[in-house]
Amino acid sequence: MTSHPVAAASSTDDDGGRHHGEYKVPGGKLVVADFDVVDGVLANVSLSGDFFLEPDEALPEINRALTGLPVDAGAADIADAVTAALPEGTVLFGFSADAVAVTVRRALAKATGWADHHWNIIAPSVLPTHVNVALDEVLTEEVGAGRRNPTLRFWDWEEPSVVIGSFQSVRNELHPEGVARHGISVVRRISGGGAMFMEAGNCITYSLYLPQTLVDGISFADSYRFLDAWVMAALEKVGISAFYVPLNDIATEHGKIGGAAQKRLANGGMLHHVTMSYDIDAEKMVEVLRIGKEKLSDKGTTSAKKRVDPLRRQTGMTRAEIVAAMMDVFAERYDATPSVLTDAELEAARRRVESKFGTAEWLHRVP
């Protein structure tokens, strides 16, 4: 599968080379940058938007700070230049110096927005957990190499499993007796974060494969919320008011409902992975996972059984209905089209299980 051409993250107007970039801050305001490029540097810079800024004099100072910056300036360099130029006591509300950097980078086509890509959606299909984990690596590589469009894929599986984070200790995270008693398949994924307890039909898991240009200039922490904005809209559609608890938890007023993890590859591909609880067997979960007091210390609870609040109880909907609502929102918001796993991708994932994800060396790389 070949990727559709990526549209420029900004437009060049008809007035002879004016660059234009826009960035809507997640939960904040719209930032717009217009400028020329003369001899490799920014010129005639004009920043605008529906943000709030005090004092007024700070706006021309930001424009002056951006003027003269080289077109290959990194996001951090742009943000630093803006911050250094702000008069003492300046208040930026609804945006930030980092948001300005993202906007400028988009205008230069160094960063992209959602609408600059053709998105695909792969509906759930039952696969072994090892294959699901291997596909995360394979498809992230494919998107990074430009051989697959950016893609949202929903998982499905049958065997009871625990998927541990890339840096977690097998010994510290699992109760061997519980794993054996309940026939749990233990798999290590490429992304960080915590362990996922997964029985058939008890959670909703999806992976988003994207080019890193989509999060260019966005902080690691902010990228979680940015990439899951559509999920919040989908949850609202099914009657759930959800919010992010930094760094990577998704929660409602009743408790945690899910968590996210990420991995960025050297070829420019990125994996954003989320698991949300649908109908977790909390008793079995604590027999399988070691969830200590330190892990719960900042969660406002002393019991692991109270940490995860299933979506079934909050919505009264079937798992399939919730997944369908999520797919509909993603498709509507980003004009995404259906896709399927190719035979080559599945074969590559199976080979990756044999060489990596199904091996004791990978599973126990952190004992």
Side-chain angles (χ1 to χ4, degrees), residues 29 41 80 101 107 111 174 181 232 239 275-276 297 340 347 361:
K29 299 298 182 177
V41 301
D80 288 346
L174 299 168
R181 181 165 60 253
M232 301 305 169
T275 292
M276 290 184 285
S297 62
V340 296
E347 179 58 28
E361 290 79 10

Side-chain angles (χ1 to χ4, degrees), residues 277-309:
S277 306
Y278 176 71
D279 192 16
I280 292 288
D281 184 335
E283 295 284 350
K284 188 181 294 185
M285 181 179 71
V286 297
E287 291 178 11
V288 172
L289 298 181
R290 299 183 190 271
I291 306 176
K293 292 182 179 179
E294 181 63 24
K295 195 168 199 174
L296 298 172
S297 62
D298 65 344
K299 306 297 182 184
T301 181
T302 57
S303 171
K305 297 178 186 178
K306 296 178 182 178
R307 286 190 64 215
V308 181
D309 194 68

